[in-house]
Amino acid sequence: MQVLGLYKSTEGLLNKPNCAQIALFECRDGSQVCIANTHLLYNPRRGDIKLTQLSLILHHIQQVVNPLQQCGGVPVIFCGDFNTVPSAPLYNLMKYGKLQYSEYTPDKISGQKGFKKLHKVAPGLWDAGEMGFHEHGLVRRSEPELTECRETYRSLTQGSSYLAQPYRDLTCSKCSDLYPYKQGSISHNINFRSAYDHIDSDGRTKEVTTYIQNDARTVDYIWYSNHDNTPQNCAHGHSCDPYCCSPVLILKSRRRLLTKPELFNMGRLPNAILGSDHQALQAMFTLYSDPVHNSSGRK
């Protein structure tokens, strides 16, 4: 198990003492599953910090599960208090795998509250040369690639004369398929799905996980990698063999959470019925280690 500290003295947006845990479990037949959890920063104004924290965690998860290999790599469950609401930009990064964060002010990224007089988040959340990975894909890069990106980053942040053109046109020649400072966007390579639906067909909230400060909302999640080993459903468009035997996670059941009206009637959390300020999320999965040739799995 890896305990990941989210504080780094060299990075301005990693200045809070939050953390994450990432564990890789192995079954008797050798199949594996990764389980991670975290508690991201609460501050509704600082979605830029939450985005950087989440990116660091996703980078380390990808190092463990290798999602770019055939059939999406090792299955992963990622849960915790993300301090973001459904359909907020941070939520969409998890669900859709990419986010154009430079379109938002820091407070809008997590969707918890809105504030005035905040500027949009500038491209380049961290120094890729120092952190070892880019915003695009969150995958580790070689030292030659990072050296040039380090110079690009310094040019952007320190106003170097190297900037002969607007930053939106810059890219690194050694990693020209990546755009760490070109578009102010971020992406990852895991095809996540939430164990809960969050919003019904009419756009109304189906359930909430906390009720504090006179507001009931969802901020806690159980995400899992969604891949059923068929070409049409393979993450990232891989041409997977339909008879591939890579392990697959199947959601079997989940604990029903109270809705917003139900919590309003019950009162703020914690109360005499529920002793925590958050509802407990629970889900049961089956890990099919050989989904094609047999139907047995491990829960």
Side-chain angles (χ1 to χ4, degrees), residues 44-113:
R45 290 177 177 264
R46 298 309 306 268
D48 51 345
I49 293 179
K50 299 179 197 185
L51 178 58
T52 307
Q53 290 180 338
L54 179 59
S55 300
L56 180 60
I57 299 169
L58 289 172
H59 165 69
H60 282 272
I61 290 176
Q62 290 187 156
Q63 292 285 97
V64 173
V65 305
N66 193 13
L68 291 176
Q69 73 180 27
Q70 191 80 339
C71 296
V74 175
V76 55
I77 299 172
F78 184 17
C79 50
D81 184 346
F82 288 71
N83 272 314
T84 187
V85 299
S87 298
L90 198 70
Y91 174 93
N92 289 335
L93 173 61
M94 287 294 299
K95 183 175 181 179
Y96 300 111
K98 59 184 178 180
L99 173 64
Q100 186 78 33
Y101 65 81
S102 60
E103 296 180 353
Y104 303 96
T105 55
D107 58 307
K108 295 296 192 298
I109 288 178
S110 62
Q112 290 168 290
K113 293 182 180 179

Side-chain angles (χ1 to χ4, degrees), residues 9 15-16 62 64 102 139 177 184 198 265:
S9 59
N15 60 355
K16 303 297 181 183
Q62 290 187 156
V64 173
S102 60
V139 293
D177 60 322
H198 309 306
N265 291 333

Side-chain angles (χ1 to χ4, degrees), residues 19 36-37 45 47 57 96 98 105 115 129 146 152 200 214-216 227 234 247-248 262-264 278 288:
C19 66
N37 65 18
R45 290 177 177 264
I57 299 169
Y96 300 111
K98 59 184 178 180
T105 55
F115 298 91
L146 294 172
T152 304
D200 63 19
N214 297 317
D215 191 18
H227 177 56
C234 181
V248 174
E262 290 171 334
L263 271 183
F264 276 138
H278 291 248
Y288 286 100

